[in-house]
């Protein structure tokens, strides 16, 4: 597994964060104007319930072509954590 620093600041990182946020918003059926920060907690801040969280993880896997291990889902509590996880697993180009 590649090690990637936490998501912050660069245009590529910001773009990936934005893409992950869009997928989370779509899968969880959140309003388009919902403010999402890197530190936004998926359950506590965004109100995503357990069923929608499954949908979020499936949507992110499909969109980015990455595998999210079931044991890792409990660790992916924030938008930034999910984005960093995806970044670490993206295919090399």
């Amino acid at each position: 597994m590649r090690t990637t620093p936490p998501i912050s600041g660069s245009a590529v990182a910001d773009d990936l964060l934005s893409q992950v946020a869009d997928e989370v918003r779509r899968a969880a059926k959140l309003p388009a104007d919902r403010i999402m920060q890197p530190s936004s907690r998926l359950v506590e801040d965004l109100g995503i319930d357990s069923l929608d969280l499954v949908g979020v993880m499936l949507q992110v896997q499909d969109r980015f072509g990455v595998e999210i291990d079931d044991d890792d889902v409990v660790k992916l509590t924030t938008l930034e954590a999910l984005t960093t996880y995806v970044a670490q697993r993206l295919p090399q180009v």
Side-chain angles (χ1 to χ4, degrees), residues 16-63:
L16 182 59
L17 181 67
S18 177
Q19 290 177 43
V20 171
D22 287 345
E23 294 305 322
V24 168
R25 185 177 284 115
R26 190 171 303 126
K29 300 170 192 82
L30 298 174
D33 62 348
R34 180 68 178 254
I35 296 175
M36 297 173 70
Q37 300 294 326
S39 62
S40 294
R41 296 172 298 173
L42 300 176
V43 175
E44 295 87 349
D45 298 333
L46 301 178
I48 298 173
D49 65 27
S50 58
L51 184 58
D52 283 339
L53 190 58
V54 171
V56 165
M57 297 302 163
L58 292 172
Q59 182 80 18
V60 167
Q61 287 182 122
D62 289 346
R63 167 64 175 83

Side-chain angles (χ1 to χ4, degrees), residues 58-75:
L58 292 172
Q59 182 80 18
V60 167
Q61 287 182 122
D62 289 346
R63 167 64 175 83
F64 297 100
V66 299
E67 184 72 29
I68 299 176
D69 190 299
D70 291 341
D71 294 334
D72 291 336
V73 170
V74 296
K75 301 173 198 167

